[in-house]
Amino acid sequence: MHKLVTSLLLVCACAFAEAPQAVAIRNARIVTVSGPVLSKGTIVLRNGLIEAVGENVAVPADAWVVEGEGLTVYPGLIDPLSTVGVPGAAPAAAAGAAGRGGRGATTPTAAAAPAAPATPPARGPEDRPATTSWVVAADELQTSDRRIEAVRSAGFTTVAAFPTRGIFAGQGSLIDLLSDATPGDMTVVPSLGQYLTMNSGRGFGGGFPSALMGTISYIRQIYLDAAHYQLVKDAYAKDPRGMQRPEYDRALEGVIESKRILLPATRLIELDRMLRFAVELKQPAILYGGHEAYRPEAAALLAKYGSPLLVSLKWPEKSRDADPDADETLRTLETREYAPTAPGLLAKAGVKFALYTDGLEQPRDIQRAVKKAIDAGLPRDAAIRALTLSPAEIYGVSDRLGSIEPGKIGNLVVTKGDLFDNMTKVEMVFVDGRQYKPEPEQPAPGGRGMMSATPGVN
């Protein structure tokens, strides 16, 4: 009995020691995003949530105090399209790459990938090739993924993590980037939508579909099948007497469960095609890629259909292995030159958009990519919004993420200097009210200061 009481006391003591404490960041510059910038204010976090924020907020007696003099506090950054935490997923490629097999520049080559089991090639849409619509990222979450710490070091506290292999790749999940936590602790929203690619030109095992139009036809057929499947299920649920029960189809169940679809659209022609395709499928759509959104027609199309666009921060560059004497098309040169101007033009047009890292992991690379868009005309406040409140609005979670307001999740990034400036340093990051500190800043090539590339946990 004595041992039992002792054990219970120890368990209670451990639980008490691990309970979240109140944190107060005082006398800091606070960029709320949803409201005015506070030149000198206080934020109080308690139990993983923002308890109070303002210029005259009192510091609770039980709070651990962070002196914010000389620091700026932003909402935690949100990556609206990522593969962080998803085992075996390719980086969420910009749509131009997706249209040629769904692979980005950093995707392992086929030779390096694990050998796939020998299966007969797909002969038609009834075989449902390259479809894993039932896969949910939260169920597959790999909490030991090294990229969690890497992107958190750049100020990201939340990612929309998606599986990206195949045509119907699966359902994405909104994940808070905690360390030493379970997938259940990290999952904010288990299912955000279905990630689709337009794999074309290679086929799957030499079978169907082997071209872009075949892929589009296949997707169209899946949605026709899903609509019929739902009608049969509804009829059976209403009155099952005298009816054979519907056969369970997990591929169609995954399609029906999805709240929205993500469609690839890097080029202008893809933007137009995918917007019209989403209307045909009767599905709310988010487009991703967006490198040709600098063209005047792009903003008009997006405004007409009301679909948001996720713009890849992996700006087009000439391959290091490219033949220096090879001719390049004018369109290729234009896109390389003007793609970074797309976010600024979309912001000016009032089109809903957000920025995603597209496989960029190191803080320096992310900072440079965002800074390139800012230098090309994207206002700084719009850049911050495109990585905070805008993605939260796109996924319908702005009531809990994306800005610094009482009651929202305690996700913050604290910097010395303005976010995305060359010399800015991330001092600390809060995820669900838990503090994480980057390790000492690593010098960039050439001696220029940047944000720390290697994070640690405090």
Side-chain angles (χ1 to χ4, degrees):
M1 182 67 180
H2 177 71
K3 290 183 177 179
L4 177 61
V5 172
T6 303
S7 298
L8 287 172
L9 287 172
L10 286 172
V11 169
C12 292
C14 290
F16 179 77
E18 294 174 0
Q21 70 177 119
V23 178
I25 307 172
R26 67 181 179 187
N27 297 325
R29 177 173 174 263
I30 301 172
V31 180
T32 64
V33 175
S34 60
V37 175
L38 307 180
S39 58
K40 183 170 287 191
T42 297
I43 302 172
V44 178
L45 306 178
R46 189 184 296 276
N47 297 324
L49 301 174
I50 299 173
E51 182 177 78
V53 56
E55 294 179 334
N56 300 307
V57 171
V59 175
D62 63 336
W64 171 61
V65 178
V66 176
E67 293 296 343
E69 193 72 43
L71 302 178
T72 303
V73 185
Y74 299 88
L77 303 185
I78 302 171
D79 190 340
L81 180 52
S82 174
T83 60
V84 169
V86 180
R100 296 185 293 275
R103 293 177 175 174
T106 58
T107 306
T109 62
T119 56
R123 301 302 179 188
E126 67 277 1
D127 288 348
R128 301 218 173 104
T131 293
T132 52
S133 58
W134 59 89
V135 171
V136 178
D139 295 338
E140 309 287 322
L141 189 61
Q142 191 173 52
T143 60
S144 60
D145 190 339
R146 63 170 181 81
R147 296 176 297 168
I148 290 174
E149 292 192 359
V151 299
R152 191 175 60 216
S153 182
F156 287 88
T157 59
T158 309
V159 298
F162 283 83
T164 57
R165 303 283 188 186
I167 300 175
F168 285 82
Q171 301 170 49
S173 303
L174 196 65
I175 304 297
D176 264 3
L177 299 178
L178 295 166
S179 292
D180 300 323
T182 66
D185 292 333
M186 299 169 70
T187 301
V188 180
V189 178
S191 180
L192 292 173
Q194 186 76 215
Y195 183 90
L196 298 181
T197 66
M198 295 291 148
N199 293 295
S200 62
R202 298 181 182 180
F204 295 88
F208 176 89
S210 59
L212 174 61
M213 295 314 296
T215 303
I216 290 175
S217 296
Y218 170 69
I219 294 171
R220 182 182 292 119
Q221 186 62 55
I222 285 284
Y223 276 97
L224 289 172
D225 291 347
H228 181 263
Y229 179 70
Q230 186 66 62
L231 285 174
V232 174
K233 285 181 64 178
D234 291 345
Y236 185 78
K238 185 176 181 180
D239 187 2
R241 291 174 296 181
M243 286 185 64
Q244 289 187 340
R245 65 180 180 274
E247 182 179 351
Y248 172 75
D249 190 319
R250 67 173 180 171
L252 297 183
E253 290 284 352
V255 170
I256 292 169
E257 289 170 0
S258 301
K259 299 176 181 177
R260 57 182 68 86
I261 55 176
L262 277 74
L263 294 170
T266 284
R267 295 180 299 152
L268 182 63
I269 190 173
E270 294 166 340
L271 193 73
D272 183 29
R273 181 188 293 140
M274 291 300 105
L275 287 168
R276 288 186 286 110
F277 192 38
V279 172
E280 178 189 341
L281 298 176
K282 300 178 182 177
Q283 296 295 313
I286 299 170
L287 274 56
Y288 64 91
H291 281 166
E292 280 197 14
Y294 66 87
R295 298 187 180 276
E297 304 92 329
L301 280 168
L302 290 164
K304 175 184 176 181
Y305 287 92
S307 293
L309 176 65
L310 308 182
V311 181
S312 167
L313 283 169
K314 188 178 286 182
W315 305 119
E317 295 179 351
K318 188 170 185 176
S319 172
R320 294 179 182 179
D321 300 327
D323 182 354
D325 298 323
D327 291 331
E328 295 183 289
T329 66
L330 177 60
R331 195 177 194 96
T332 297
L333 295 173
E334 283 180 345
T335 303
R336 191 180 299 156
E337 177 71 18
Y338 295 114
T341 68
L345 294 170
L346 293 173
K348 186 176 181 180
V351 172
K352 180 69 69 178
F353 77 98
L355 302 172
Y356 71 103
T357 58
D358 200 0
L360 299 176
E361 298 170 12
Q362 294 303 319
R364 291 191 184 96
D365 296 334
I366 297 169
Q367 184 270 348
R368 286 170 180 155
V370 178
K371 187 64 162 54
K372 194 168 185 177
I374 292 173
D375 291 343
L378 178 64
R380 186 178 297 274
D381 59 345
I384 294 168
R385 199 184 201 284
L387 284 162
T388 53
L389 191 54
S390 289
E393 290 172 343
I394 288 170
Y395 286 118
V397 294
S398 59
D399 57 349
R400 68 201 85 169
L401 289 170
S403 60
I404 301 177
E405 299 177 61
K408 290 195 174 185
I409 296 172
N411 291 354
L412 307 171
V413 54
V414 183
T415 67
K416 184 172 288 185
D418 289 336
L419 197 59
F420 309 129
D421 274 356
N422 288 341
M423 301 301 291
T424 293
K425 179 183 178 185
V426 172
E427 292 290 326
M428 63 191 76
V429 173
F430 289 88
V431 185
D432 283 5
R434 305 184 197 179
Q435 186 205 40
Y436 297 88
K437 268 197 171 183
E439 291 183 354
E441 185 176 354
Q442 302 295 321
R448 294 179 66 192
M450 281 286 185
M451 294 186 292
S452 173
T454 310
V457 177
N458 187 25

